[in-house]
Amino acid sequence: AGAFHAATPAIHHAQRCLDHCLENGIGDWDLAFAYEALARAHKVAGNEDEFRRNLELAREAGAKIADAEDRELLEKDVAELAA
C-alpha cells in the first residue's frame, strides 16, 4: 500500500504533463518523456496494464524525437524501465 500511496501524486503529475502536451500540440522529447513518466509512475503503483500501455506509447513517441541524442536517452530510459 505504501508504494501505491507514494505513486498517486506521481501519476497525477505525469498525467497533467501528458495532458498539457496533448492539448497544446507539444511533441518530440516532451511528449515521449511525459509517457515515460506516466509509465514509471504506474509501474511503482503496480498498475501493470497502464504501465505497459504508456511504455509502448513512450516508445512510439520516442521514435519520432528529432535529435538523435535525445532519442537515445529516451530509448535508454525505456529499456531500463522495461527490465
Side-chain angles (χ1 to χ4, degrees), residues 6-83:
T8 302
I11 291 170
H12 171 77
H13 291 291
Q15 185 65 58
R16 285 191 60 187
C17 181
L18 176 60
D19 291 346
H20 181 73
C21 288
L22 295 173
E23 291 166 6
N24 294 286
I26 300 169
D28 204 82
W29 188 92
D30 299 283
L31 180 63
F33 273 97
Y35 281 122
E36 186 271 351
L38 194 53
R40 187 176 298 276
H42 279 295
K43 182 176 186 176
V44 170
N47 301 332
E48 186 67 23
D49 290 343
E50 284 299 305
F51 162 65
R52 293 281 169 207
R53 184 175 77 80
N54 285 286
L55 191 67
E56 184 55 35
L57 291 167
R59 283 188 182 115
E60 291 173 13
K64 298 174 186 172
I65 294 175
D67 183 83
E69 288 181 21
D70 287 347
R71 195 169 48 253
E72 289 171 15
L73 180 62
L74 183 277
E75 290 167 357
K76 178 179 174 279
D77 281 4
V78 165
E80 289 173 358
L81 196 54

